[in-house]
Amino acid sequence: MGLQEQPIYTTRAHVFQIDPNTKKNWVPASKQAVTVSYFYDSSRNSYRIISVDGSKVIINSTITPNMTFTKTSQKFGQWADSRANTVFGLGFASEQQLSKFAEKFQEVKEAAKLARDKSQETVETLSNHSQESGRETPSTNQASSINGTDDEKISSVGPEAALLKSENERLKSAIELSNTNTKKWETELQTLRENNARLVDALQESSANVETWKKQLSVCKEESDTLREKIKDLEAQCNEADQEKQKNLQLTARVQELEAELQDKEQELENLRKQAEIIPQLMAECESITNKLQAAETKNQELEGRVEGLQGDIDDSRQKQGNMKVELKKFMDVLDGKIDELHEFRQGLSKLGLDN
């Protein structure tokens, strides 16, 4: 990069290149995200994309109007560089970074197109000026030779000749530069043609490989269908075997349950036999308990009679107690009246004592 080449946009991305052998697979050019920059060379009026990983230049791509940047996913884009005979791919951290890089690529592409058109116009203009100067110079010299002496000719033609000479030198330089650029463009065109031819060969080879892969895919599909049918048959047989196994397990479990039930029944029968042996004793105890129960019921009836008598006595006592409370209240009322009369009598006595 020269001193007149300055960065105009910088971002970070993972860099990939297309596999030169397969033309299909991506090969990582950087182990991690690296700086990717657009550079503008003011002396050549050209644009480049440059990326450096450590001391290794992994992208050095000059932007031309024929290039196209393609978004292949939300975070990945690519462009083909015929001069480098490769395809570059960039993986970004976000969709916004990819969109910004694509917009800048389009801007640089348009600027490169304008620069190319302007350069062609300049070459055509310089070429036309050169042809016109070549036609005008003889006539000027001829007109100068007709008029006056040699000294007059020198004095009259001198300034114009110097101006034409400098103009011719400038035009010669421009033509040489144009020829140099033409040779350079022819070389680039030849390189593009060779790259296009290689790309066409690669495309044809890819097409042939695609046909081969299609045939292999068809064979694989047929084999896959056959294997699927065999798998279905084996699955059906396995299902039948599983069902039989399940039935056997269920029967085994049922037999075990029946054996357990039989043991329980035998145990219950044994218990019943033991209980049958003590039934006479239980019946005697039952009769004894029945007699005791009858005696208890008789006593209970007697107690109930007594309770009813006691309840009557309690009711009478409560009645008498109520009557006594009424009489006691009447007595208290009379006593209160007597106390009031005694109090009034005492007050009267006190008044009489004071009067005497």
Side-chain angles (χ1 to χ4, degrees):
M1 291 180 288
L3 296 176
Q4 296 181 349
E5 195 170 17
Q6 300 295 330
I8 58 176
Y9 176 76
T10 300
T11 185
R12 293 184 66 83
H14 288 82
V15 180
F16 300 86
Q17 287 187 11
I18 200 71
D19 189 345
N21 297 323
T22 63
K23 299 294 183 181
K24 295 184 299 180
N25 301 324
W26 289 107
V27 178
S30 63
K31 296 181 179 179
Q32 58 187 0
V34 295
T35 301
V36 181
S37 302
Y38 286 93
F39 279 84
Y40 172 64
D41 189 347
S42 58
S43 62
R44 298 180 181 178
N45 198 17
S46 63
Y47 297 86
R48 287 195 298 169
I49 299 177
I50 297 176
S51 179
V52 180
D53 187 7
S55 60
K56 179 182 178 182
V57 178
I58 54 179
I59 299 179
N60 185 6
S61 177
T62 302
I63 305 299
T64 64
N66 298 326
M67 288 184 177
T68 301
F69 185 82
T70 304
K71 296 180 183 179
T72 57
S73 67
Q74 291 183 348
K75 298 181 182 179
F76 193 87
Q78 65 183 50
W79 78 95
D81 189 340
S82 58
R83 294 181 182 180
N85 192 25
T86 188
V87 179
F88 293 103
L90 297 179
F92 294 89
S94 65
E95 186 177 358
Q96 290 77 11
Q97 292 180 354
L98 173 60
S99 300
K100 183 66 176 177
F101 189 89
E103 292 174 1
K104 184 59 66 175
F105 193 98
Q106 187 64 27
E107 293 176 6
V108 171
K109 176 181 173 181
E110 294 294 334
K113 183 179 180 181
L114 292 174
R116 184 190 66 180
D117 296 340
K118 185 176 180 181
S119 176
Q120 289 179 354
E121 291 177 0
T122 302
V123 171
E124 291 176 358
T125 302
L126 291 176
S127 178
N128 293 333
H129 281 310
S130 177
Q131 292 175 0
E132 291 175 358
S133 299
R135 288 195 301 268
E136 291 174 356
T137 301
S139 61
T140 303
N141 292 333
Q142 184 177 1
S144 300
S145 62
I146 292 173
N147 297 320
T149 61
D150 293 337
D151 294 335
E152 293 176 348
K153 287 188 277 186
I154 293 171
S155 62
S156 62
V157 175
E160 294 180 359
L163 180 62
L164 289 173
K165 185 176 180 182
S166 63
E167 182 69 18
N168 286 334
E169 291 295 333
R170 187 174 65 81
L171 291 173
K172 285 180 181 179
S173 300
I175 290 171
E176 289 177 358
L177 178 61
S178 176
N179 292 332
T180 302
N181 291 333
T182 301
K183 290 179 181 179
K184 180 180 177 181
W185 293 335
E186 287 177 353
T187 303
E188 291 182 356
L189 180 62
Q190 183 62 28
T191 303
L192 289 173
R193 287 175 179 172
E194 293 175 356
N195 291 335
N196 288 336
R198 285 197 292 269
L199 290 173
V200 169
D201 294 337
L203 180 61
Q204 291 176 353
E205 182 180 356
S206 299
S207 300
N209 291 334
V210 167
E211 293 297 329
T212 304
W213 294 335
K214 285 182 178 178
K215 293 179 181 179
Q216 293 178 355
L217 180 61
S218 178
V219 174
C220 289
K221 284 183 177 180
E222 292 177 358
E223 293 178 354
S224 177
D225 293 337
T226 304
L227 291 174
R228 285 177 182 173
E229 293 295 330
K230 291 182 179 179
I231 290 171
K232 287 180 180 180
D233 294 338
L234 292 173
E235 287 179 349
Q237 294 177 4
C238 290
N239 290 331
E240 292 178 357
D242 291 338
Q243 291 176 0
E244 292 295 332
K245 186 177 180 181
Q246 190 67 25
K247 289 180 180 179
N248 291 332
L249 292 174
Q250 291 176 356
L251 291 173
T252 303
R254 183 58 181 165
V255 168
Q256 291 177 355
E257 291 176 358
L258 292 173
E259 289 178 351
E261 290 179 0
L262 181 59
Q263 291 178 358
D264 294 338
K265 295 296 182 182
E266 289 178 351
Q267 186 65 36
E268 290 179 1
L269 181 60
E270 184 65 25
N271 294 333
L272 290 173
R273 286 175 182 173
K274 290 179 180 180
Q275 291 176 3
E277 293 177 355
I278 62 173
I279 284 175
Q281 182 181 355
L282 293 174
M283 289 180 68
E285 291 179 359
C286 184
E287 289 178 357
S288 175
I289 291 170
T290 302
N291 294 329
K292 291 179 181 179
L293 182 61
Q294 290 177 355
E297 287 179 355
T298 302
K299 289 181 180 181
N300 189 23
Q301 290 176 359
E302 292 176 357
L303 291 172
E304 286 179 356
R306 292 180 182 179
V307 168
E308 289 178 357
L310 292 173
Q311 186 68 34
D313 295 339
I314 291 170
D315 292 339
D316 293 338
S317 297
R318 286 179 179 176
Q319 184 67 31
K320 291 178 181 180
Q321 187 178 4
N323 294 333
M324 289 177 67
K325 286 182 179 180
V326 172
E327 292 177 359
L328 182 59
K329 185 177 182 182
K330 289 180 180 181
F331 177 74
M332 291 297 292
D333 292 338
V334 173
L335 183 60
D336 289 337
K338 296 296 181 180
I339 291 171
D340 291 336
E341 290 177 0
L342 181 60
H343 183 65
E344 290 175 358
F345 179 72
R346 284 181 179 178
Q347 288 179 351
L349 288 176
S350 298
K351 286 181 179 182
L352 288 175
L354 291 174
D355 291 340
N356 291 330

